[in-house]
Amino acid sequence: MPLPTFLALIAGVIVMAGLSIAVVQLAGVSLVWLSVPMLALALAARALRWH
């Protein structure tokens, strides 16, 4: 993957993460309640990637 594409991908992920945190905060939902399903999803994605 070319370096500019990689950097654009990283920047996009950071921006989307910031926007999603802002939306969750504006909705009044605690990030603690969302962290458990996101952790499970991340572990499932990692398990699928390595098999």
Side-chain angles (χ1 to χ4, degrees), residues 21-44:
I21 290 173
V23 167
V24 167
Q25 289 295 320
L26 288 174
V29 179
S30 174
L31 287 177
V32 175
W33 291 113
L34 292 177
S35 63
V36 174
M38 291 301 116
L39 179 61
L41 184 62
L43 289 174

Side-chain angles (χ1 to χ4, degrees), residues 1 6 41-51:
M1 178 182 304
F6 178 72
L41 184 62
L43 289 174
R46 184 175 179 186
L48 287 175
R49 183 178 177 193
W50 290 109
H51 289 292

